[in-house]
Amino acid sequence: MNAIISASELVSALAGPHPPVLLDVRWQLSLAAAAGAPPFDGRAAYRAGHLPGAVFVDLDEELASAPGGHGRHPLPDLEVFGAAMRRAGVSSAAPVVVYDGGLGWGAARAWWLLRWTGHPDVRVLDGGLPSWEGPLETSVPQPAEGDFVPAPGAAGLLDADGAAALARSGVLLDARAGERYRGEVEPIDRVGGHIPGAVSAPTTENVGADGRFLSAGELGARFKELGVSQGSPVGVYCGSGVSAAHEVLALAVAGIPAALYVGSWSEWSSDPGRPVAVGPDPR
């Protein structure tokens, strides 16, 4: 099953006999917020207009635990995550479509978590809310309680040691901007650079100017150039495990399974004992 869905396909699915549950995960990484500016308010954006029937899901509160030793967006408490999904009407037998404001990172985080915890049918709206040409609504729906119970382990998950090992034995992709990978700038974490052996693969290069994913063929060619071959183990990390989920999604579009290092650079760099590489060379 394709991991993404177009707006026109979603219109058809919503009119069909088994319409998907819609989750609105509008979230925005704000470097300005790290400097003290007010953060993006996803709930306010949701209240101003959302896809009909969509339920808002808070990435920071429901798709992650509080920041700490395991990074800025560690795995959520599974009871909190499961309760949030059931509140939104998510059931194991019903399809789910997730969207955000267009960047795709927040939606991809929800997509990955649902896959990792065993949901069999979840897709991301390609292009997010800007791709939707239908009506929006401002009322907050009250869907029937879902029955989804998270059962982790259905998709690949890496910890710090696993990421380090994969950088040696397979392909570990760094989804952050190139200048952060090279250690030229680091606006958030303790130190700049990358995990030794990781390959720079900014997630922004997986989409076109319209914010929609490149074709499966184009993505496959891109990852091949980065060293990914059929059957080779692949993992992805970023700053805090959000944009890396978007790269795992891009890999899925290309037909390539990949694991996610959720703690990512925010966890790795917090430990002074872990090695750090700088510059364009993986090592």
Side-chain angles (χ1 to χ4, degrees):
M1 184 186 69
N2 199 343
I4 58 176
I5 184 171
S6 69
S8 60
E9 290 171 331
L10 179 56
V11 169
S12 298
L14 290 171
H18 304 290
V21 173
L22 297 179
L23 304 182
D24 184 312
V25 194
R26 269 180 273 184
W27 176 87
Q28 180 174 304
L29 173 65
S30 175
L31 299 183
F40 172 76
D41 190 340
R43 289 185 185 275
Y46 169 81
R47 290 192 296 267
H50 52 266
L51 268 61
V55 175
F56 181 75
V57 177
D58 191 301
L59 188 149
D60 291 313
E61 296 181 6
E62 297 170 324
L63 304 183
S65 296
H70 292 294
R72 280 191 306 282
H73 290 106
L75 289 171
D77 179 280
L78 288 181
E79 298 223 352
V80 172
F81 173 65
M85 294 300 98
R86 292 188 292 274
R87 171 187 60 81
V90 174
S91 292
S92 296
V96 178
V97 171
V98 191
Y99 72 92
D100 59 21
L103 186 61
W105 296 3
R109 172 73 175 217
W111 168 84
W112 183 85
L113 278 168
L114 282 165
R115 287 181 67 251
W116 177 63
T117 54
H119 198 286
D121 189 352
V122 54
R123 289 180 284 178
V124 169
L125 176 59
D126 194 15
L129 186 64
S131 71
W132 179 256
E133 296 181 354
L136 300 178
E137 69 178 22
T138 56
S139 60
V140 178
Q142 299 295 325
E145 183 88 357
D147 66 13
F148 180 69
V149 176
L157 173 68
L158 295 172
D159 59 12
D161 290 340
L166 187 57
R168 296 188 296 268
S169 64
V171 180
L172 181 65
L173 301 176
D174 185 317
R176 297 172 300 158
E179 58 268 25
R180 292 183 70 189
Y181 170 89
R182 295 187 296 271
E184 297 166 358
V185 298
E186 182 44 65
I188 307 176
D189 294 312
R190 185 185 67 84
V191 64
H194 57 269
I195 297 173
V199 177
S200 180
T203 198
T204 52
E205 297 178 15
N206 295 321
V207 299
D210 59 0
R212 302 182 194 189
F213 281 102
L214 303 178
S215 70
E218 290 170 318
L219 289 169
R222 181 190 184 219
F223 292 123
K224 184 177 181 179
E225 289 180 0
L226 292 170
V228 176
S229 59
Q230 285 295 332
S232 63
V234 182
V236 190
Y237 75 95
C238 59
S240 67
V242 179
S243 68
H246 190 268
E247 187 130 293
V248 173
L249 176 59
L251 284 154
V253 172
I256 303 167
L260 176 67
Y261 174 23
V262 173
S264 285
W265 189 248
S266 59
E267 177 186 39
W268 182 276
S269 64
S270 69
D271 183 349
R274 294 194 183 103
V276 171
V278 295
D281 186 89
R283 295 292 173 187

